[in-house]
Amino acid sequence: MRKLSVLSVASEIYPLVKTGGLADVAGALPLALAAEHIAVATLVPGYKPVLDGIKGAAPVARLKELFGGPARILRGKAGALDIFALDAPHLYVRPGGPYLGPDGFDHPDNVLRFAGLAKAGAALAQGLVEGFSPELVHAHDWQAGLTAAYLRFSGKRSPATLLTIHNLAFQGLFRAETLTHIELPAASFVEDGLEYYGQVSFLKAGVNYSDAITTVSPTYAHEILGPDQGMGFEGLLRARGDALSGIRNGIDTDVWDPATDRLIAKTYSSRTLTARAENTRALRGKLGLPTIDGALLLGVISRLSNQKGLDLLLQCAPLFEPLNLQLAMLGSGDPDLVAGFKAAAEAAPDRIGVHFGYAEELAHLIQAGADVLVVPSRFEPCGLTQLCALRYGAAPLTSRVGGLNDTIIDANDMALAAQCATGLHFSPVTAEALAAALRKAAALFKDKTLWRKLQLNGMKTDVSWTQPAKTYANLYRTLAE
Ligand code: ADP
């Protein structure tokens, strides 16, 4: 098969820098695509952890001026990943995270930081680095959304372009005046360009100027065409309906493998499932939860935001005692939710154990130790934690939206009879429906044979990138032609 060269443009990539699922995808998809004879190099902003983390980095290009200072492109490796780091300290090296400053607010110059990423991406796509001429550019989310716009207005030949929307809630909206600073022509500030209700939208630029658009699950691709989940983009996505498709995410099954995971208390597989109990014990210990006879241990690993629906789980806390549930919760984000869960844990320390912040190791232990992983999202483009949960034998209990709908087989009567259920769904996304699902989980959990089957079904589900990578590869080849 002919080798295809692809430039991926992403604002975060695992293992160098990660705030959420986008990094996981940007870091795992290129590895899976290698098996499809697709060579992916990824352009990422040169944040400090990126510059520190890439091995053998050497400058391969210079940009005299990139929105306020000079920039270099370094090429190096992160494991097997081929990385272009955009070394522009005036844009990327500073306190805080990739998007937020230490004060918790957006960096005030995000418009320039991510226009810079896209501009460098377009230059790379058009031959800036000798010997690198990709046939396709794959841009991720609003941060890379302008890549296709710079290509469109460059007046030069451009490779094919693909935009993946990982989360439509983030649209990269900036004041109209910024257009002059980011060096795009007034001709782009139109309804079928990047103008969005009088503002500039980086995501809209990506939607309108890319040859094709994907999102990260088939159900989400359908949901975003309607007013409930379209977030104002439903009309323009419908207009580009022929170019839009949904490809579900996978997970890196080397990073997430209970048989080899060094971050958990005891490794196990479907053949040694009883060993899993040691992780449950360790998890309880870590979060100060006592062992209660027959209690079902719920787990949560999540950003705490309105999207993730954890306020609904908080409303269900009074049920934990009567249903004999406990909760091991890892999350960071919204201060009101943090305060809410903190208070709930103080009120019921035997039932609720919490850890706030970002903690990779604890995330693995929760997957390995919880009986059920709860994901009550109001919307969920794909979701990765439920995929990890399947692989680790923590039955996912999720709302029936987006990628959660596409990746879990609900334990309804038919699925139980056919012995193919892998988790539990609830719908609509309300506290009442979640409570009903918790009740059902508590009841099913008492039947140890049934529960074990549920776990084993999940563990043998293919959550890898193998199949999605084939779908991406086919799309890449079609677009490149
Ligand atoms: P999103 O990208 O919307 O936050 P996903 O489910 O797609 O949600 O991906 C979340 C990723 O981030 C998963 O890999 C999950 O394990 C990880 N994660 C989320 N919150 C935390 C946390 N507090 N500590 C460690 N890992 C986390």
Side-chain angles (χ1 to χ4, degrees):
M1 202 184 291
R2 193 173 73 82
K3 196 133 186 141
L4 192 80
S5 167
V6 171
L7 172 67
S8 170
V9 184
S11 57
E12 48 184 280
I13 188 165
Y14 180 87
L16 296 174
V17 55
K18 166 169 163 177
T19 72
L22 166 61
D24 290 318
V25 175
L29 181 57
L31 305 179
L33 282 166
E36 303 299 321
H37 303 278
I38 309 252
V40 181
T42 307
L43 176 69
V44 283
Y47 315 113
K48 186 139 191 330
V50 169
L51 299 177
D52 291 346
I54 46 172
K55 302 273 178 291
V60 288
R62 275 165 216 285
L63 299 163
K64 253 190 263 147
E65 212 286 325
L66 188 69
F67 303 133
R72 299 187 305 170
I73 292 178
L74 312 176
R75 192 172 196 173
K77 288 270 184 188
L81 293 168
D82 184 5
I83 303 285
F84 287 116
L86 178 53
D87 181 22
H90 63 290
L91 296 176
Y92 306 123
V93 178
R94 59 179 69 179
Y99 318 117
L100 308 178
D103 56 3
F105 290 100
D106 287 354
H107 293 295
D109 56 347
N110 272 350
V111 64
L112 299 181
R113 298 172 74 238
F114 296 108
L117 176 68
K119 196 149 198 284
L124 264 179
Q126 292 179 314
L128 178 68
V129 170
E130 209 179 298
F132 180 71
S133 48
E135 290 159 85
L136 179 119
V137 185
H138 187 174
H140 297 272
D141 269 349
W142 74 265
Q143 293 91 342
L146 287 188
T147 312
Y150 286 115
L151 289 170
R152 175 68 63 98
F153 291 102
S154 69
K156 289 191 273 180
R157 225 179 98 79
S158 148
T161 48
L162 171 66
L163 172 79
T164 292
I165 301 173
H166 297 262
N167 193 334
L168 194 53
F170 304 108
Q171 302 177 346
L173 295 173
F174 300 98
R175 285 180 298 117
E177 301 82 82
T178 57
L179 194 65
T180 49
H181 303 305
I182 58 176
E183 297 165 18
L184 279 168
S188 65
F189 197 68
V190 291
E191 206 186 316
D192 56 3
L194 52 71
E195 186 271 339
Y196 187 70
Y197 295 104
Q199 290 185 290
V200 167
S201 165
F202 283 24
L203 189 69
K204 187 173 174 185
V207 168
N208 279 333
Y209 293 129
S210 299
D211 295 318
I213 305 136
T214 58
T215 186
V216 289
S217 69
T219 294
Y220 192 61
H222 177 73
E223 287 170 345
I224 58 180
L225 300 179
D228 284 352
Q229 304 280 16
M231 307 224 165
F233 268 52
E234 58 272 18
L236 64 117
L237 286 167
R238 275 201 304 273
R240 297 237 48 209
D242 291 346
L244 173 70
S245 61
I247 306 174
R248 75 140 174 97
N249 286 334
I251 54 169
D252 186 326
T253 47
D254 291 330
V255 174
W256 295 98
D257 182 356
T260 57
D261 194 330
R262 290 209 200 121
L263 301 179
I264 63 179
K266 170 110 184 143
T267 54
Y268 60 95
S269 70
S270 49
R271 264 171 287 147
T272 55
L273 197 51
T274 43
R276 195 175 185 277
E278 275 199 39
N279 294 301
T280 308
R281 234 187 325 273
L283 176 58
R284 282 201 168 96
K286 196 147 203 163
L287 292 183
L289 289 167
T291 300
I292 300 176
D293 198 27
L296 181 159
L297 182 57
L298 305 170
V300 166
I301 305 159
S302 189
R303 287 187 292 118
L304 300 177
S305 72
N306 183 57
Q307 172 192 343
K308 300 293 180 180
L310 289 159
D311 50 311
L312 306 176
L313 185 61
L314 194 54
Q315 288 179 53
C316 293
L319 291 175
F320 289 5
E321 178 93 44
L323 292 178
N324 201 11
L325 305 176
Q326 289 175 299
L327 170 64
M329 149 119 188
L330 166 63
S332 65
D334 179 24
D336 287 344
L337 278 170
V338 171
F341 276 101
K342 210 176 250 174
E346 275 160 19
D350 286 2
R351 295 286 162 182
I352 302 178
V354 290
H355 180 93
F356 299 110
Y358 188 87
E360 195 81 29
E361 191 169 333
L362 182 56
H364 283 247
L365 187 61
I366 291 177
Q367 296 289 13
D371 299 306
V372 162
L373 189 90
V374 187
V375 190
S377 304
R378 293 193 163 84
F379 67 93
E380 194 56 78
C382 179
L384 296 176
T385 56
Q386 86 281 8
L387 297 179
C388 301
L390 287 170
R391 187 156 166 81
Y392 278 66
L397 186 162
T398 81
S399 53
R400 191 188 292 128
V401 297
L404 301 171
N405 178 53
D406 294 333
T407 54
I408 311 282
I409 301 174
D410 174 48
N412 59 39
D413 290 348
M414 298 300 264
L416 287 174
Q419 304 210 356
C420 64
T422 61
L424 290 94
H425 272 151
F426 69 93
S427 172
V429 192
T430 61
E432 292 71 30
L434 172 56
L438 290 173
R439 243 177 244 118
K440 182 166 172 181
L444 296 179
F445 187 64
K446 291 195 176 112
D447 183 336
K448 292 301 163 207
T449 311
L450 181 153
W451 195 262
R452 197 181 147 81
K453 184 71 190 151
L454 196 71
Q455 287 178 293
L456 292 175
N457 286 345
M459 292 177 83
K460 68 170 195 239
T461 303
D462 182 4
V463 291
S464 75
W465 273 104
T466 308
Q467 197 49 49
K470 284 188 201 304
T471 314
Y472 272 109
N474 286 338
L475 178 62
Y476 283 3
R477 288 186 192 280
T478 308
L479 292 170
E481 274 157 25

